[in-house]
Amino acid sequence: MFVTGGLKSLLPHVLRRIIRCNRLSISNTSGMAEGYKQANVVILHKSLADDFENFCHANAGPLPLLYRSKPGDWKCPSLSSDSDIRTDCLQYRIYEHGACTGTLTSLKEYSEQLKDMVTFYLGCSFSFEKAVQNAGIPVRNVEQKCNVSMYKTAVPCYSISTFCCNLVVTMRPIPESKLEAAVLATSELKEAHGAPIHVGDPDLLGIQDLSKPDYGDPVHLHPGDIPVFWACGVTGVEAVINCRAPLAFTHSPGCMFITDLKNDNVTVRSSRDVPQVHCVSQDPLHYSIVSAEAAQRIKNLETLIGIDPGDRGIIHLHRQDELLKACLSISHARSVLITTGFPTHFTYEPPEENDGPPGALAVAAILQALEKEVAIVTDQRAMNLNKKIIEEAVQLGILKRPVPLLSYQRESADSALMFLCENGNPGRPRFDHLVAIERAGMAADGNYYNARKVNIKHLVDPIDELFLAAQTIPGVATTGVGDGGNELGMGKVKDAVKKHIKNGDVIACDVEADFTIVAGVSNWGGYAIACALYILSTCEIHDRYLRKAVGFPQISKKMGWLSALPSVTKEEKLLKTLVRHGVRSGKTASLEMEVDGLPFYNIHSVMIEKLL
């Protein structure tokens, strides 16, 4: 027998009495007492109670603590008027030294042992199912009259003393068109686990097979459904197993304690609290979550850098929200590879222009502050120059430490794959994201052109091949930043380049990036990426999603992130360094304080101030 309409509408205290009398032959409490909070249950010896409470506070997503009893107290007056934890769950599990040694419908036979034990009541996702339904979203496990699917993940919780385990999640299939509504419906229900911690491919959590849940029942996806994962209170069961206590009890997964507390109708008040959902990858399928406020701030940055001071027609190349999507993808990345270098001045030594390196270093600096791995790949002939620039950037305080400098040469058909992946294995990429900032891009005829239609192929190593290879590696994304259409990654807008940019029919880059950021000056695109990553890192909604609602907010590191951002002073010093090394302005070949023919003071300096 499954949950019927009658059980859905019964008041909690009536349901508890029925359960107490062992008169229900159902497998879980999903859908019961709609609108009331349900609770996971963990019962431990009093000597472990303080550590477990701290473990809950350190992992508040999976383990939102509703109530902690005193030793031997079988009631929970703040949650229910007439309950007895020994009898009021459908089914219990008993654990001895970490092993489950049986299931029970009553704990009364253990009343003597329970006198020295403490009960923890932890929030449950069953509590938000009514809110999800009220938002017009189907709850598939209720529809299919089965328990929710629960999975162990590869995500470690924050450990406290003997309590250490990986996160457990529930999965609910949600129609793609309803993703944002599902996140909005649950995000403020913190005591029911809050917003999802992952949307998309289960393999990104270390879940191999959705048809084989570790707890509960398989829930089938309908066509168009996306798997959405919430933190789960069964994480507490895993913690009990790993702590190997001599004796412990938990509810059986899905057999919750039903409280008298109603789920409050939460009204989200400000854009800081309103979540948005954005797809950042199709292979593997991956969505990210960010606040509406943070998203708007990043869109404002995109608008700022999109002006066209050189009147080159770049407004026609602009793609909306590319900065936001690129930075969300980079935010999820573990390791980022940056490339820059446009040898437009082929009659000079060095031939490089000074648009590109400052933007690249600005991105590298924030990635270092965010504790991500970062490396730069450039032309073999320019290695010594770039090494000197990086060393001086460290001395100037732009970088915390030197960035590894790499070069790439094509030696065989699989050179790019060998460079990007360990032993050329696409399942083991070295980098999650590739970023090109003002990097010469290959045209349709295989050559590389500056804006004046001069072929500079003899000065350019085939780093484009890395971007082409990345398209074949699941989980590796690419971003191209440019200001004229002949830069690496601009292939995504090549038709517009050919139509609207001078010499575009010849110079247009043919190599696409997943995300294309168009800026009036490419350095500005790099600065905007750095500022956008800072905005994302200080967004509480995005931070929680990144850390999967385990551990503590990272906002304490804010000052370190802030100090890594570009500033007028730092960029002025860096430009002087480039001038000293003979790196010239792109448009004029001048060795003055200018980039792309635009003076640093009153143009670039003002843009930096606006971005900050």
Side-chain angles (χ1 to χ4, degrees):
M1 183 175 111
F2 295 100
V3 176
T4 65
L7 291 177
K8 287 183 180 183
S9 59
L10 283 180
L11 291 172
H13 73 276
V14 177
L15 266 173
R16 287 196 302 273
R17 283 181 200 158
I18 296 172
I19 291 170
R20 197 176 302 160
C21 297
N22 200 21
R23 284 162 52 191
L24 287 178
S25 56
I26 57 175
S27 61
N28 65 85
T29 56
S30 175
M32 284 192 183
E34 283 185 339
Y36 287 88
K37 291 179 181 176
Q38 299 193 29
N40 297 270
V41 174
V42 172
I43 305 174
L44 295 163
H45 190 268
K46 61 186 180 183
S47 63
L48 297 170
D50 287 346
D51 283 343
F52 188 74
E53 180 175 349
N54 290 333
F55 182 70
C56 293
H57 293 316
N59 300 283
L63 303 170
L65 184 56
L66 303 181
Y67 184 75
R68 170 186 167 170
S69 79
K70 294 177 180 176
D73 188 355
W74 302 323
K75 300 186 183 301
C76 49
S78 66
L79 302 182
S80 58
S81 57
D82 63 341
S83 61
D84 185 334
I85 197 55
R86 298 173 301 171
T87 57
D88 288 4
C89 290
L90 273 176
Q91 191 180 73
Y92 303 86
R93 288 186 175 184
I94 178 171
Y95 289 90
E96 296 176 271
H97 300 285
C100 180
T101 55
T103 59
L104 308 158
T105 56
S106 171
L107 298 180
K108 279 196 167 182
E109 64 185 280
Y110 290 93
S111 294
E112 194 59 37
Q113 293 94 323
L114 286 169
K115 289 177 181 177
D116 287 324
M117 301 183 83
V118 172
T119 302
F120 290 86
Y121 300 80
L122 307 163
C124 169
S125 64
F126 287 171
S127 305
F128 67 53
E129 288 180 337
K130 184 60 176 174
V132 171
Q133 289 172 325
N134 287 344
I137 304 162
V139 179
R140 301 294 187 210
N141 56 291
V142 174
E143 287 181 349
Q144 296 169 27
K145 296 182 169 63
C146 64
N147 199 351
V148 72
S149 302
M150 292 163 266
Y151 304 89
K152 301 176 187 177
T153 73
V155 178
C157 290
Y158 188 99
S159 298
I160 298 288
S161 187
T162 58
F163 293 104
C164 61
C165 66
N166 284 358
L167 176 68
V168 176
V169 293
T170 58
M171 187 282 292
R172 289 171 174 82
I174 304 291
E176 186 175 17
S177 62
K178 304 280 189 181
L179 288 177
E180 202 158 275
V183 175
L184 189 60
T186 58
S187 62
E188 289 300 304
L189 300 175
K190 302 285 196 291
E191 292 186 340
H193 305 301
I197 57 90
H198 179 66
V199 180
D201 192 328
D203 194 51
L204 295 172
L205 292 177
I207 299 169
Q208 303 302 317
D209 189 348
L210 284 181
S211 69
K212 297 176 181 176
D214 296 293
Y215 301 98
D217 301 318
V219 177
H220 304 293
L221 280 75
H222 289 205
D225 281 353
I226 305 295
V228 180
F229 300 86
W230 279 266
C232 176
V234 175
T235 303
V237 174
E238 289 294 305
V240 166
I241 291 170
N242 287 350
C243 87
R244 300 182 183 277
L247 180 66
F249 305 97
T250 71
H251 69 294
S252 283
C255 300
M256 303 302 172
F257 174 83
I258 300 171
T259 78
D260 293 340
L261 301 183
K262 277 197 167 183
N263 279 314
D264 299 323
N265 291 322
V266 178
T267 302
V268 179
R269 295 178 183 83
S270 72
S271 62
R272 186 176 299 172
D273 302 320
V274 177
Q276 291 183 356
V277 179
H278 295 272
C279 184
V280 295
S281 170
Q282 288 291 339
D283 184 20
L285 186 63
H286 190 199
Y287 294 79
S288 191
I289 299 178
V290 63
S291 74
E293 179 193 53
Q296 187 57 54
R297 289 174 65 192
I298 293 171
K299 291 178 183 184
N300 293 344
L301 296 179
E302 188 175 63
T303 300
L304 273 175
I305 65 171
I307 62 171
D308 188 3
D311 198 25
R312 285 183 281 188
I314 65 163
I315 190 169
H316 301 290
L317 313 186
H318 179 72
R319 291 283 190 95
Q320 191 172 1
D321 295 343
E322 291 285 283
L323 177 64
L324 173 61
K325 291 176 184 176
C327 291
L328 284 170
S329 177
I330 295 169
S331 181
H332 284 276
R334 171 191 50 83
S335 179
V336 179
L337 180 68
I338 301 171
T339 185
T340 190
F342 206 122
T344 189
H345 302 303
F346 55 94
T347 60
Y348 291 95
E349 180 57 40
E352 269 68 30
E353 64 166 296
N354 58 17
D355 188 18
L361 293 181
V363 175
I366 192 67
L367 292 174
Q368 285 185 339
L370 294 171
E371 300 174 17
K372 297 182 185 293
E373 295 176 21
V374 57
I376 292 175
V377 60
T378 191
D379 300 297
Q380 179 63 45
R381 57 160 188 81
M383 289 288 279
N384 286 337
L385 171 65
N386 279 281
K387 184 180 178 185
K388 291 174 184 175
I389 293 169
I390 288 170
E391 287 173 350
E392 293 195 37
V394 174
Q395 293 169 10
L396 293 171
I398 294 167
L399 296 172
K400 286 169 62 177
R401 57 188 174 277
V403 177
L405 194 60
L406 311 173
S407 66
Y408 168 76
Q409 301 292 326
R410 179 184 174 87
E411 297 171 353
S412 65
D414 62 352
S415 288
L417 205 58
M418 293 296 292
F419 184 96
L420 292 174
C421 305
E422 293 182 27
N423 301 317
N425 178 3
R428 301 186 67 186
R430 292 189 175 96
F431 309 99
D432 309 302
H433 205 112
L434 278 56
V435 180
I437 299 181
E438 190 67 18
R439 169 72 193 175
M442 185 172 63
D445 63 2
N447 292 316
Y448 297 80
Y449 296 95
N450 68 12
R452 292 176 291 279
K453 226 168 36 172
V454 177
N455 186 359
I456 54 173
K457 183 176 182 178
H458 61 292
L459 295 171
V460 182
D461 289 345
I463 289 170
D464 305 64
E465 293 180 4
L466 301 180
F467 278 63
L468 292 169
Q471 295 172 7
T472 69
I473 306 170
V476 179
T478 55
T479 293
V481 181
D483 57 18
N486 55 346
E487 301 90 358
L488 177 53
M490 292 290 117
K492 190 172 181 178
V493 293
K494 62 185 176 184
D495 291 340
V497 174
K498 292 174 182 178
K499 185 176 180 180
H500 297 288
I501 301 297
K502 184 180 179 181
N503 300 324
D505 56 328
V506 174
I507 71 173
C509 176
D510 201 51
V511 180
E512 292 189 20
D514 296 311
F515 310 103
T516 298
I517 298 169
V518 179
V521 177
S522 293
N523 281 342
W524 299 353
Y527 302 153
I529 290 173
C531 293
L533 289 173
Y534 172 79
I535 290 168
L536 290 176
S537 299
T538 53
C539 169
E540 291 181 13
I541 287 174
H542 186 66
D543 168 68
R544 181 186 185 275
Y545 189 73
L546 279 182
R547 57 186 171 85
K548 307 290 186 282
V550 297
F552 298 99
Q554 299 294 295
I555 197 69
S556 60
K557 300 176 182 177
K558 180 178 179 178
M559 294 312 297
W561 302 333
L562 196 59
S563 66
L565 291 176
S567 69
V568 172
T569 301
K570 285 194 284 190
E571 297 309 307
E572 179 185 28
K573 291 177 180 177
L574 180 57
L575 185 54
K576 287 178 178 177
T577 297
L578 294 174
V579 169
R580 194 170 66 254
H581 286 291
V583 181
R584 299 169 182 270
S585 173
K587 195 171 183 180
T588 64
S590 166
L591 279 174
E592 302 294 333
M593 290 295 287
E594 65 171 55
V595 178
D596 272 355
L598 303 169
F600 177 80
Y601 306 106
N602 299 326
I603 299 289
H604 298 288
S605 60
V606 170
M607 176 58 70
I608 294 165
E609 288 172 345
K610 286 180 178 179
L611 289 170
L612 294 171

